[in-house]
Amino acid sequence: MKMLQISSSPHIREDVSSSELMRDVVIAMLPTAIYGSLQWGFHAFFVVVLTTLAAVLTELVYQKAMKLPVTINDWSAAVTGMILALNCPPNIPFWIPIIGSVFAIIVVKQLYGGLGANFMNPALAARCFLLISFAGKMTTFTVVGSDAVASATPLATLKASPTATPDLMNMFLGRIPGTIGEVSKICLLIGALYLIIRKVISPKMPLLYIGTVALFTLIFGQGGANPQYLLSEILGGGLIFGAFFMLTDYVSSPITPMGQVIFAILAGLLTGLFRLFGGSAEGVSYAIILSNIVVPFINNKTIPKGFGREDK
C-alpha cells in the first residue's frame, strides 16, 4: 500500500508555490507602502525597509545558527516584516519595529517550526507585543505633512465624541493620522483586488469580517444608524488592512469553508467588541490574534466526517 504524506499548512491545491503566493502579497502591499512613504517621508520609508530587512536577516541568521534549511526565498519573512512595518506609526524609532521583527520570526514563527507551523500571524503577534511593551510610541501619530505635531486618529476622535463627523473622503484617500500602511483605503483596495484577481485570497472572509463589524456597530454603536458614523468605523483604523492582508493568512486561518465563515464572524465580533466597549479605539490586531488561537478547535469541529464515521 502506498502511504501518503501530508505536509504542514499552507496546503496548496494548485500549481503554484508558496513563494509565488507570498511574493504576490508583497506586491499587493506596495501601493499602500509607497503612499505611506510619500505622505510621511524618508523616515516612514526606512521603517518599512529596515523592518522587512530585519525579518529576513533574522530568519537567515537563526536558520544558519540552528543548521536548518534556509527558507528566506519563500518570501514569508519579507511578508511578516512588511506587514509589521505597515502597522507601525510613521515616526516610530527604527529600533522598535526591528525588535518586533526579531520577536515575530524567532518567537512566533521559527520556535514553532517555521512557515506552516506557527499558530498565529507572526506580524500581528509582534505588533501586539510592541503595543504592550512600547504603548506610547506605538500609539502616537502625527498630522499629515508634519514631523512633530501629534494628533488623534479619526477612530480615537469618534470614540471620544460619537457625534463627530470625520471627513470620509480624507479617510478613503489616506489624508489622516494613522499607521504607515492602514490609512489609504484606496491603495489597500487596489492591493486587495490584485490578490483576488491572482486568486491568492478569496473575498469571502474579508467581506464577512467587515460585514460583521458593520452590523455590530450598527446595533451597538453610539452613532446609531448614522451612515457617516458607520462608514467612519469601517474606513477608520486597520479594518480594511486587517481584513484583506491579515485575516486571510493561509497558516493561521481555518482550512474548511464553514470554519472560515465562523472565523471571520468571530474576528468581526471581537473587533466590534474591542472598538466599542474596550479602552482603545482600535481592536483589529487583538481580535485576529485571539481568533487565530481557536482555529485548531474550529478546524476540528468543521472538518467533514468520513463516510460511515460518527462523532464521538
Side-chain angles (χ1 to χ4, degrees), residues 146-167:
S146 170
D147 292 327
V149 182
S151 175
T153 64
L155 274 188
T157 301
L158 205 62
K159 189 174 183 67
S161 177
T163 58
T165 55
D167 189 317

Side-chain angles (χ1 to χ4, degrees), residues 262-276:
I262 296 171
F263 176 71
I265 292 175
L266 173 62
L269 290 174
L270 289 174
T271 300
L273 184 67
F274 293 153
R275 280 188 168 191
L276 299 182

Side-chain angles (χ1 to χ4, degrees), residues 9-12 16-30 52 59 71-83 109 114-118 121-122 194-195 198-201 245 248-252:
S9 57
H11 302 288
I12 308 300
V16 60
S17 66
S18 294
S19 61
E20 290 175 308
L21 294 173
M22 295 296 173
R23 187 168 62 246
D24 275 336
V25 176
V26 169
I27 292 171
M29 288 189 289
L30 286 178
T52 305
E59 182 154 293
T71 60
I72 59 172
N73 289 334
D74 65 13
W75 288 75
S76 62
V79 168
T80 294
M82 197 166 177
I83 289 177
K109 185 182 179 186
L115 179 65
N118 49 281
N121 186 303
Y194 173 82
L195 292 178
R198 293 281 294 168
K199 297 183 178 179
V200 175
I201 66 170
F245 292 92
T248 54
D249 177 47
Y250 279 25
V251 179
S252 56

Side-chain angles (χ1 to χ4, degrees), residues 168-251:
L168 294 178
M169 184 56 69
N170 280 340
M171 293 181 72
F172 184 68
L173 295 176
R175 299 288 299 174
I176 55 173
T179 68
I180 298 170
E182 75 179 13
V183 293
S184 178
K185 273 48 186 189
I186 188 170
C187 289
L188 289 170
L189 291 175
I190 289 171
L193 183 62
Y194 173 82
L195 292 178
I196 293 169
I197 291 173
R198 293 281 294 168
K199 297 183 178 179
V200 175
I201 66 170
S202 164
K204 180 179 72 175
M205 280 202 300
L207 294 180
L208 274 171
Y209 172 64
I210 295 170
T212 301
V213 175
L215 183 60
F216 191 95
T217 302
L218 192 63
I219 296 172
F220 298 105
Q222 296 184 51
N226 183 348
Q228 180 147 356
Y229 174 85
L230 181 60
L231 286 173
S232 296
E233 285 286 349
I234 293 173
L235 295 176
L239 187 68
I240 303 295
F241 191 17
F244 290 100
F245 292 92
M246 297 172 239
L247 189 80
T248 54
D249 177 47
Y250 279 25
V251 179

